Amino acid sequence: MRYNSRAEVLKMRNSPYCIGDDIAVNLQPETTTDDTASMIKTIQVALLEDHPVFRTGVKLSLAPVCHVALEAATASEFFTKLQTATIDIVVLDIMLPDASGIDVAQRLREEHPEVKILVLSVDGREETFVRLMQIGIDGFLSKNASEDKILEAVQTICGGGNYFSRPEDILERDILISACSRRHE
């Protein structure tokens, strides 16, 4: 599912798939079997984040149901390791030392269309968000999200849905920065 603006994502907030204030779209049919445990598969995650402490925190948040099969601090390291890894989802930072996360997402879509993409970033600019939607990411989560939201987002996306932070949370930082910069003009 692709979106052209935050407004389109906001329209989804009134859908039956809205979880709290976050948007989670489940596209998978409900299972009717009692043997749900046999269907559970460990989610294989690639984590592309340049800050080691944040990377460790995300890894610990995902530990209950995920295996971080690939960790990288740079895009070049990520694509080298990806050649020998099998992953279900990439948790991707936008601001990397050697490339833009947008470029990484674009390359992933072209070379590995089956891999899900969850962007985890503080970059809440409208143009960034729209570009990521056009690429076809599966989710966007603000870095100030709680650890349970990160796990919920990964599980929702790997279950066939999409997951997006409340756009207000992402914009909050930009509004504060804008207000502060006007004070100093």
Side-chain angles (χ1 to χ4, degrees):
M1 193 174 290
R2 294 192 176 162
Y3 305 94
N4 293 318
S5 70
R6 286 184 197 272
E8 290 179 32
V9 173
L10 280 171
K11 287 178 193 173
M12 292 177 54
R13 291 190 70 193
N14 295 323
S15 79
Y17 300 108
C18 187
I19 298 175
D21 291 324
D22 292 316
I23 299 165
V25 180
N26 187 356
L27 302 176
Q28 294 293 90
E30 292 185 29
T31 57
T32 55
T33 178
D34 292 330
D35 194 18
T36 311
S38 67
M39 297 172 54
I40 296 174
K41 173 189 150 209
T42 301
I43 299 169
Q44 301 298 312
V45 177
L47 185 52
L48 178 50
E49 166 63 55
D50 57 323
H51 294 96
V53 172
F54 194 81
R55 193 169 57 239
T56 300
V58 171
K59 186 176 178 178
L60 291 172
S61 297
L62 297 174
V65 294
C66 301
H67 169 68
V68 177
L70 187 163
E71 286 184 65
T74 65
S76 58
E77 177 187 11
F78 169 75
F79 282 111
T80 299
K81 289 181 174 181
L82 185 59
Q83 294 174 7
T84 59
T86 302
I87 59 167
D88 300 309
I89 187 169
V90 176
V91 178
L92 171 65
D93 186 13
I94 289 294
M95 295 178 219
L96 300 166
D98 65 337
S100 161
I102 294 172
D103 295 335
V104 171
Q106 180 69 50
R107 183 173 168 189
L108 271 169
R109 273 292 166 253
E110 292 168 2
E111 296 177 9
H112 304 277
E114 74 286 356
V115 173
K116 306 291 186 186
I117 302 172
L118 170 63
V119 173
L120 189 60
S121 185
V122 296
D123 185 350
R125 294 175 294 164
E126 179 87 18
E127 61 270 15
T128 300
F129 189 80
V130 169
R131 180 66 186 120
L132 289 166
M133 294 292 99
Q134 291 168 342
I135 290 169
I137 64 166
D138 301 287
F140 189 101
L141 198 58
S142 173
K143 275 193 171 178
N144 66 3
S146 64
E147 60 189 56
D148 61 317
K149 293 293 183 188
I150 295 169
L151 181 57
E152 185 178 290
V154 168
Q155 289 178 305
T156 299
I157 291 167
C158 288
N162 293 342
Y163 194 100
F164 297 94
S165 285
R166 290 184 342 172
E168 297 84 21
D169 289 345
I170 298 165
L171 287 173
E172 201 171 90
R173 178 188 61 95
D174 291 339
I175 291 167
L176 289 171
I177 289 171
S178 177
C180 290
S181 63
R182 283 195 302 265
R183 283 176 148 180
H184 298 287
E185 290 178 351

